[in-house]
Every structure is written in C-alpha cells, then in structure tokens.
Amino acid sequence: MKVAIIMGSNSDWPVLEPAEKVLKDFGVEVEVVVASAHRTPELVKEFAAGARDRGVEAIIAAAGAAAHLGGVIAAYTTLPVIGIPINATPLNGMDSLLSFVQMPSGIPVATMAINGAKNAAIFAVEILAGAHPELVQKLADFRARMQEEVKAKGEKLAAARAAAAKA
C-alpha cells in the first residue's frame, strides 16, 4: 500500500506533514516529492505517468496560488488524485481552492478543504480500503477513537461548567 504526496514547493511541507503521519499511522507507505507544474513540468509528467509502476495507489497533490499541480497530474494518470489547496497567497487559499475544484469534465481531482492534509490522508486510506480489507477495521477503530475523544471533551466541558456554576 502506497500513497504519493507531491507538492509544488518544499514550503508546503509544514501543511502536508500531518498527512504523512496519518498515512503512516494506518500502515501506508508514503512517497514524498517536490515538483512544480510550471517550473518542472517534465518532472511532474514523469512522476504521474510512472506512479502506478512504482506501486502508488493514490496521489495527494498540494499546491498554492494557481494550483495546477493536481490537474496536471490527473491528466497523466488514472490513479485517484486528491487535491489540497494551500493557503499561500493574500487570497488565503481561495485561488487555490477554485483552481482545484474547476477541473474539466473527465479529469477529476477530489478536492479537500484549504490546508486539509489530514482529511486528504484519511480519504486516501478510504480509497485503499477497497483493495486492502485490513484498512477497513483500522478506519472503524479510528472513528471509534474520535467518538470517544469527542465524548471525553464534552464531559470535561460539562464538569468545568458545573464547577464554575457552583463557584
């Protein structure tokens, strides 16, 4: 099981590093690449066209500003591409978001929220779970942990409010 994370600039890594952590927590191998759709188009083409042969099953592509990286990759592969718009301009990532979601018919890029690296990783695991049944239980366990964490936070807040009301 392998997911590739590609970003247009190494300055995007702080946003994407949580995606690598989530994928590794699920036992998914991660390939990390820096390549620009505009500055290194041949490298991007080579990356995308050869991804399946390298064992990649899904690609997370992150870019800011014009954010063409995900679309260019999707044009060169039939693997699922998950786009993460990066907040990298004075437009707070809205330019990137619109670039990702406005893909032409026939070349889809699943688009996450601006800086939505964790959800991109979880979505990649959900895609992989179709071919790797062991991930189904890991996803169920992950959701159960989230439920318990939310319940615990609610109980903590209720206790704090009760204590404050008595004071």
Side-chain angles (χ1 to χ4, degrees):
M1 297 177 291
K2 184 190 224 179
V3 171
I5 298 174
I6 184 169
M7 64 206 87
S9 170
N10 66 331
S11 64
D12 299 331
W13 183 240
V15 173
L16 295 169
E17 194 169 12
E20 179 185 47
K21 182 185 180 326
V22 168
L23 291 165
K24 286 184 174 183
D25 287 348
F26 277 96
V28 176
E29 183 182 348
V30 182
E31 174 183 324
V32 177
V33 176
V34 175
S36 167
H38 302 108
R39 294 178 294 240
T40 60
E42 288 300 316
L43 183 60
V44 169
K45 179 181 178 181
E46 185 179 303
F47 162 83
R52 188 179 302 276
D53 291 339
R54 292 189 313 279
V56 173
E57 297 178 65
I59 298 170
I60 295 172
H68 293 128
L69 185 60
V72 170
I73 290 169
Y76 287 113
T77 186
T78 56
L79 291 170
V81 177
I82 304 163
I84 303 173
I86 300 290
N87 178 1
T89 70
L91 296 175
N92 298 318
M94 285 303 296
D95 46 350
S96 304
L97 176 64
L98 294 174
S99 292
F100 272 111
V101 299
Q102 293 298 324
M103 289 301 300
S105 180
I107 308 294
V109 173
T111 305
M112 298 295 116
I114 296 167
N115 291 355
K118 285 183 180 178
N119 270 355
I122 294 164
F123 189 59
V125 171
E126 290 175 344
I127 291 169
L128 269 58
H132 302 280
E134 65 272 23
L135 291 176
V136 175
Q137 186 59 51
K138 287 182 177 183
L139 283 163
D141 294 345
F142 171 77
R143 289 197 177 182
R145 281 191 307 275
M146 280 195 318
Q147 289 176 12
E148 291 305 315
E149 288 170 5
V150 169
K151 286 179 188 176
K153 288 175 183 178
E155 290 167 1
K156 184 177 178 181
L157 176 61
R161 292 185 72 234
K166 290 181 181 178

